[in-house]
Amino acid sequence: GYHLLTCKTGGGPVRTHNMVASVWSECMKHLDKKIIQEPRNRSQNSDDRADIAVFDVSNGDSFELEIAIAHPLCLDVLSKAPHDDGTAAARAEVRKKKKYSNEIL
């Protein structure tokens, strides 16, 4: 099951997160986008955090990707949230914002 994605012993979720971020980075590179992984000092007034900043050199557009690994069968999700679509992702977003709320990047 879901133990590999949810057990923090051995760094399973961190490895999965980093692997997914790496795949997205490679996809953006293949689309001829410039990327910065885990950009720092984006804004002195922001507690936001991104895993990947993506820049389109041809037209100046940019966007950021934040990767969060969540599993809908994680006990935390099952015990604290209703069984609605998107519950695991929504809870992962809340945890991520709480974890990094005091950082100035």
Side-chain angles (χ1 to χ4, degrees), residues 26-41:
E26 288 302 313
C27 288
M28 295 297 108
K29 287 178 188 176
H30 286 292
L31 294 172
D32 293 327
K33 309 298 183 208
K34 179 183 176 196
I35 64 148
I36 299 174
Q37 292 183 320
E38 297 191 11
R40 301 286 182 213
N41 299 322

Side-chain angles (χ1 to χ4, degrees), residues 17-89:
H17 169 276
N18 292 344
M19 182 176 58
V20 170
S22 177
V23 167
W24 274 104
S25 292
E26 288 302 313
C27 288
M28 295 297 108
K29 287 178 188 176
H30 286 292
L31 294 172
D32 293 327
K33 309 298 183 208
K34 179 183 176 196
I35 64 148
I36 299 174
Q37 292 183 320
E38 297 191 11
R40 301 286 182 213
N41 299 322
R42 294 174 18 231
S43 169
Q44 293 299 321
N45 300 321
S46 175
D47 287 334
D48 292 341
R49 183 180 176 95
D51 289 307
I52 305 166
V54 182
F55 303 94
D56 188 336
V57 186
S58 66
N59 64 15
D61 287 343
S62 66
F63 60 93
E64 296 175 339
L65 297 173
E66 174 56 39
I67 308 297
I69 304 300
H71 196 288
L73 296 179
C74 175
L75 294 179
D76 181 53
V77 173
L78 288 175
S79 65
K80 296 180 182 175
H83 299 278
D84 295 331
D85 290 344
T87 297

Side-chain angles (χ1 to χ4, degrees), residues 1-17 19 69 71:
Y2 63 89
H3 184 81
L4 176 67
L5 291 175
T6 59
C7 180
K8 300 205 185 311
T9 302
V14 173
R15 273 196 308 273
T16 302
H17 169 276
M19 182 176 58
I69 304 300
H71 196 288

